[in-house]
Each structure stands twice: as C-alpha cells, then as structure tokens.
Amino acid sequence: GESVGLHLPTLSVQEGDNSIINCAYSNSASDYFIWYKQESGKGPQFIIDIRSNMDKRQGQRVTVLLNKTVKHLSLQIAATQPGDSAVYFCAENSDSNYQLIWGAGTKLIIKP
Amino acid sequence: EPEVTQTPSHQVTQMGQEVILRCVPISNHLYFYWYRQILGQKVEFLVSFYNNEISEKSEIFDDQFSVERPDGSNFTLKIRSTKLEDSAMYFCASSADNYNEQFFGPGTRLTVL
C-alpha cells in the first residue's frame, strides 16, 4: 500500500555540522510533502514543505530536496544547534485526499 | 501567533469508559483533523472534517470513534468505549485548506487502564 518511510531511525551529528535526513515515499501520486519536527512531549511542528513542481526549497537553515524520479525526499539542516535535537517526520499527501501519510521518524541527536 | 489548543493534556480512564478529547483549531481554518501517535511510533491519521462532515477517515476510525464540531470553535473526538490499545497521544490539527500546512496542537495523552 501507500507508505512513506525513513532510511535511518537515529542520526547523531556534531553541533555545528550539517545534517541530512532522508525519506522515501512510494505513492507516485503524492504532490505535496512536509517535514515536521517533534520535540519530546510536544506536537509536530511544521518546518518546511515542498510541492511536486519543485525540486528544492530553502528556509532558514533548512533545505528540502525532492527527487521524484526515485521518490526521495531529504531535509538538510545547516549548522545544527542543540535545539535541533528532535524526531523529524516526513509526510505527504495529494490533492485527492485530506490525510497526511507519515513516515516512521528519524531521531536527530546533536552532540556537543 | 494563532495556535491549535487541546484539552486536557492528559486523560486517564478505565477500559470501557467514554472519553471526549477537545480541540480549538485556529479560528479561520476550515479543515480539521485528528491523528494519534502510540508511544515511540509514527503519527497515524484518524479522520478529517470539513463543512460539518467527515471528509476522510482511516481504518483506525471505527464505530467507537466520532467527531463533532458542536459550536464555532471546538472540535471534539469521542471514543465511546475505550480499549487498552487506545492509549496514545492524540493530536488535533487544522489547516486553511486541504492542500496546505496542517498546524498541530500539543496533544492529549490518553491512558486507558
């Protein structure tokens, strides 16, 4: 069935380094993708989104890349800070449905 | 900055009891959602609601679940007869339309004993 999944469950990076979190999706009809950050005990917080007519979008310290050919989505965080420690989820939907389909999540650990 | 709010933050109930989880979506949003997250697992879609009716629901959202928008501000999720496996964080979300960012509330932790 349709699914969105993540390659790595845990990622440790040194403070100040860049991090890349990857996500694979299987529904070729998906045309809207979102990255959410979830800190312990809190609800998901929007980071950045991208539509399928784009392959790259930049925010503040974050960049999302979309490769529709291989159905791959990545989140790049530049110059990681302790506050970036969280679980990161990719999610997708399409114009034909309302629900977000969520990936399993990657836990990002920032080492001092 | 407008935000989604949820009450209570933590609900403890006995198996078989009914619970109502409450949410106040962002005021100008038109689409409302409930998701749940079992501890340590991914977020799962339950239901979406638009124009006073359910627009989409998942297999999880069976007859034990219902949603309601009783007034112009609240959006509720009712579980009629809770089961142990209903223990999870329940997140409410809202969006301006169905193709844009969904804003999430802080969640209600439901514990069924």
Side-chain angles (χ1 to χ4, degrees), chain A residues 72-87:
Chain A
H72 185 267
L73 189 70
S74 68
L75 176 70
Q76 300 177 358
I77 305 174
T80 52
Q81 303 168 357
D84 294 330
S85 293
V87 177

Side-chain angles (χ1 to χ4, degrees), chain A residues 2-9 21-27 35 71-73 88-92 101-106, chain B residues 42:
Chain A
E2 300 168 357
S3 66
V4 180
L6 293 169
H7 295 306
L8 297 172
I21 301 171
N22 296 301
C23 179
Y25 65 95
S26 60
N27 183 8
W35 281 100
K71 298 177 189 169
H72 185 267
L73 189 70
Y88 289 81
F89 293 92
C90 61
E92 54 90 6
I101 299 173
W102 293 73
T106 292
Chain B
K42 65 180 180 180

Side-chain angles (χ1 to χ4, degrees), chain B residues 20-23 34 66-70 74-78:
Chain B
I20 297 176
L21 309 182
R22 291 182 168 81
C23 169
W34 282 102
S66 62
V67 289
E68 191 178 30
R69 188 156 164 80
N74 290 283
F75 179 51
T76 63
L77 174 69
K78 180 192 290 187

Side-chain angles (χ1 to χ4, degrees), chain B residues 12-82:
Chain B
V12 181
T13 189
Q14 295 290 326
M15 188 170 57
Q17 295 295 304
E18 174 183 286
V19 295
I20 297 176
L21 309 182
R22 291 182 168 81
C23 169
V24 179
I26 293 173
S27 61
N28 63 342
H29 284 182
L30 301 177
Y31 294 80
F32 314 111
Y33 314 84
W34 282 102
Y35 291 83
R36 79 172 186 190
Q37 185 179 30
I38 295 171
L39 185 64
Q41 299 186 23
K42 65 180 180 180
V43 179
E44 299 174 291
F45 170 78
L46 293 178
V47 65
S48 60
F49 192 85
Y50 170 70
N51 199 27
N52 286 317
E53 61 182 22
I54 291 174
S55 47
E56 191 173 6
K57 61 182 180 180
S58 71
E59 293 177 352
I60 302 169
F61 195 87
D62 60 22
D63 292 343
Q64 293 300 312
F65 291 87
S66 62
V67 289
E68 191 178 30
R69 188 156 164 80
D71 51 45
S73 60
N74 290 283
F75 179 51
T76 63
L77 174 69
K78 180 192 290 187
I79 308 175
R80 291 189 183 84
S81 179
T82 51

